[in-house]
Amino acid sequence: MPRLPTDRPDVVVIGMGPGGEAAAGRLADAGLDVVAVEAELVGGECPYWACIPTKAMVRSAELVAEGHRIPGMAGTAMVEPDWRPVARRVRALTADWDDTAAVERFTALGGRLLRGRGRLTGPGEVAVEGSDGDGHLLQPTTAVVLATGTSPVIPDIPGLAGTPYWTNREAVRAGAAPDSLLVIGGGPVGLEIAQSFARFGTIVTVVEHGGGLLGREEPESSELLLRALTEQGVGVYLNTSVVGVEHGADGFTVRCDRGERLRAERLLVAVGRRPDLEALGLGSVGVPTTGRSVPVDERLRVVPASGDRPGIWALGDLTGHGLFTHVAVYEADLVCRSILGSGGPPADYRAIPRVTFTDPEIASVGRTEAQARAAGVRVAVGGTDLAASGRGAVHGPGTVGLVKLVADADRGVLVGATIAGPQAGEAIGALTVAVQAEVPLRALETTVWAFPTFHRTIGTALAEVLRQLP
Ligand SMILES: Cc1cc2nc3c(=O)[nH]c(=O)nc-3n(C[C@H](O)[C@H](O)[C@H](O)COP(=O)(O)OP(=O)(O)OC[C@H]3O[C@@H](n4cnc5c(N)ncnc54)[C@H](O)[C@@H]3O)c2cc1C
Ligand SMILES: NC(=O)c1ccc[n+]([C@@H]2O[C@H](COP(=O)([O-])OP(=O)(O)OC[C@H]3O[C@@H](n4cnc5c(N)ncnc54)[C@H](O)[C@@H]3O)[C@@H](O)[C@H]2O)c1
């Protein structure tokens, strides 16, 4: 076998999504010689195919919905939704799927970028199949950082393979809203995209094999969202599995286990994401490759450094601590502190916020009631209906929402919270601080919440929690 050109930087970062980019940039800025390996675009899934373009779609869809709410509130309005400006905006926000600016940001810090696909081939060794067709061997002296994220799961449904189904990548590149769309999976990916297209006139049907939408959230959120989507004309089949897919000139036909045959122009597969640990070569360093995530310690170490061997760290979607950009960036900070030896607290996932940008937005932090009970917490719960609040009354159409607080009655602190409703993702910030900093419920009780805001309803839900305490 020909000898590959060998490079011995201090650090190799494989994968330049939001997590890898943050870690590689910071380590380069600290003066280390960093080689970053990226197979596609520097920036990863989030800016080009995920968070940013889907939120642009959501924002446009929200404007359409608000336009329809004008009658009875502010006169008349004629709303004629047109997807073309949405597609233009997505193209602008993704810089037409061009990563030049991100590359320049990194190289300006002294980092070196190697375009290609990286793979661990042993402790302290990364082989790269370069985009230019050349092979490279990297032997970092200090650290390997794994940050390769996840890819969509494609279920093994007879007939699906080989059809032109969409994942989030094709959905965000749509030049027009399809006449009809069938979505497999009622999680955040499926629902944000489903509602966006529905508001542009697409007939949308969601097929979810679980008993509720957004199954990881509180059942109250799931029910609220189901009601809202159904009222907005989105068809939802729960407890339903797709057992067969056909594609022909008139689009997709999907057979479900309960007998339904559903037709649609487009089919979006949104049943979750997982990493490819085998392709990453983790087996070569003795790490099991069959799981859904890379096992790490509280400093995100996969394999600690020993002797002259560099350590291996992992971060972001790969670690399975929550598939969110803010988790990837948080973990990048932990990894950098660990590599640079700058100390600080270990990983703490008690107060990771989650926001699904549907209308109503579903925002939450910490544990759900069921998770808290399962963890043996003596739970006190308080809730309130957003529509019954002063802000709900003035806001009018579009006010659907709730607050639910989950407290540890023995410790007198919140361990989880949900806000659903308009701008819920903004309001969850206050509760994220409360859960993270373990603000005593008695201190929260004395907090003055501005009138008339949606977040003032936190006080109402809190009063219900406090009534249950000694
Ligand atoms: C449709 C959608 C919407 C989302 N919306 C939100 C949101 O609103 N808010 C939020 O917080 N999160 C959102 N997410 C989740 C968010 O996109 C991810 O959590 C985030 O991108 C994870 O960052 P990461 O750095 O771990 O990995 P990624 O962003 O997946 O980046 C990994 C990078 O590694 C590269 N790579 C993979 N394998 C190799 C290899 N072998 N060699 C070299 N390079 C490799 C990939 O090309 C990629 O660039 C959304 C996800 C989806 C799918
Ligand atoms: N706003 C945000 O922050 C945001 C938005 C989108 C995605 N994300 C992240 O991306 C991750 C992936 O999202 P996702 O929605 O793809 O996955 P998910 O795992 O969150 O949801 C997938 C849904 O599909 C269902 N499902 C699985 N297999 C199925 C099948 N064969 N038939 C029908 N239903 C099936 C599951 O029960 C689940 O409800 C999420 O975990 C989330 O962290 C975040």
Side-chain angles (χ1 to χ4, degrees):
M1 206 170 114
R3 280 176 65 83
L4 298 176
T6 304
D7 194 337
R8 291 193 175 79
D10 296 319
V11 179
V12 171
V13 177
I14 314 179
M16 284 287 274
E21 195 184 357
R26 172 135 159 230
L27 294 170
D29 198 30
L32 296 181
D33 178 19
V34 179
V35 172
V37 184
E38 171 53 52
E40 295 187 80
L41 295 178
V42 173
E45 201 71 17
C46 177
Y48 302 108
W49 297 286
C51 326
I52 298 298
T54 57
K55 261 79 274 178
M57 290 159 59
V58 163
R59 170 69 181 133
S60 291
E62 175 183 276
L63 287 172
V64 171
E66 286 290 279
H68 285 300
R69 290 168 184 154
I70 288 175
M73 292 281 288
T76 55
M78 201 174 71
V79 183
E80 282 186 44
D82 178 356
W83 192 262
R84 285 170 300 181
V86 187
R88 270 200 298 277
R89 223 165 147 254
V90 165
R91 188 173 277 268
L93 286 163
T94 58
D96 207 2
W97 293 276
D98 181 305
D99 65 356
T100 306
V103 173
E104 283 172 4
R105 236 180 1 247
F106 175 57
T107 52
L109 295 169
R112 294 190 280 143
L113 177 68
L114 185 53
R115 294 225 185 241
R117 199 159 280 280
R119 176 184 168 84
L120 285 164
T121 46
E125 198 173 83
V126 174
V128 180
E129 195 187 314
S131 305
D132 53 7
D134 288 349
H136 305 262
L137 194 61
L138 302 171
Q139 293 180 332
T141 53
T142 305
V144 179
V145 179
L146 307 175
T148 47
T150 46
S151 306
V153 170
I154 306 302
D156 192 14
I157 300 171
L160 178 63
T163 66
Y165 62 82
W166 280 0
T167 65
N168 59 297
R169 289 205 169 191
E170 291 75 25
V172 303
R173 295 198 76 140
D179 291 338
S180 50
L181 173 70
L182 207 140
V183 180
I184 308 181
V189 171
L191 297 181
E192 289 179 355
I193 294 173
Q195 192 177 46
S196 297
F197 281 120
R199 287 180 157 168
F200 280 79
T202 302
I203 298 165
V204 179
T205 310
V206 177
V207 179
E208 161 60 48
H209 75 179
L213 300 174
L214 297 184
R216 278 188 287 274
E217 299 299 336
E218 293 284 7
E220 291 88 344
S221 300
S222 174
E223 283 158 28
L224 186 83
L225 192 53
L226 175 64
R227 251 194 331 272
L229 287 172
T230 307
E231 280 168 13
Q232 291 162 24
V234 175
V236 180
Y237 290 84
L238 297 177
N239 299 305
T240 305
S241 291
V242 173
V243 292
V245 173
E246 287 163 35
H247 180 259
D250 55 348
F252 287 88
T253 304
V254 153
R255 272 183 300 111
C256 300
D257 58 346
R258 295 154 67 106
E260 295 88 355
R261 280 177 81 82
L262 306 169
R263 287 175 192 281
E265 181 188 341
R266 296 287 179 188
L267 176 68
L268 171 67
V269 177
V271 300
R273 299 179 65 87
R274 66 180 307 162
D276 187 346
L277 307 186
E278 181 68 43
L280 196 48
L282 277 159
S284 71
V285 292
V287 174
T289 56
T290 48
R292 289 189 76 99
S293 57
V294 180
V296 289
D297 69 10
E298 79 290 352
R299 303 269 170 195
L300 283 314
R301 281 172 297 222
V302 185
V303 180
S306 86
D308 58 356
R309 283 186 178 171
I312 302 175
W313 282 258
L315 58 82
D317 277 12
L318 262 190
T319 65
H321 293 128
L323 277 60
F324 298 103
T325 288
H326 44 275
V327 172
V329 173
Y330 168 63
E331 292 192 334
D333 173 54
L334 281 149
V335 166
C336 291
R337 284 195 275 115
S338 182
I339 292 172
L340 296 169
S342 47
D348 173 3
Y349 300 101
R350 286 172 305 118
I352 300 295
R354 311 176 288 274
V355 183
T356 300
F357 294 86
T358 41
D359 171 12
E361 279 182 13
I362 308 295
S364 56
V365 61
R367 287 177 165 155
T368 60
E369 180 183 353
Q371 286 167 344
R373 290 192 192 284
V377 173
R378 192 166 70 82
V379 165
V381 170
T384 188
D385 176 2
L386 237 58
S389 68
R391 178 57 180 269
V394 292
H395 193 79
T399 306
V400 197
L402 56 85
V403 173
K404 178 171 177 180
L405 304 180
V406 181
D408 181 329
D410 292 327
R411 293 169 57 232
V413 294
L414 292 180
V415 292
T418 291
I419 304 186
Q423 310 283 313
E426 303 304 322
I428 202 69
L431 291 167
T432 303
V433 174
V435 174
Q436 172 69 24
E438 303 191 334
V439 179
L441 289 169
R442 294 295 172 196
L444 278 181
E445 185 183 16
T446 62
T447 303
V448 179
W449 311 97
F451 179 83
T453 56
F454 282 121
H455 74 251
R456 185 172 166 80
T457 53
I458 293 170
T460 316
L462 187 66
E464 192 184 338
V465 171
L466 290 166
R467 281 196 292 277
Q468 298 161 56
L469 299 191

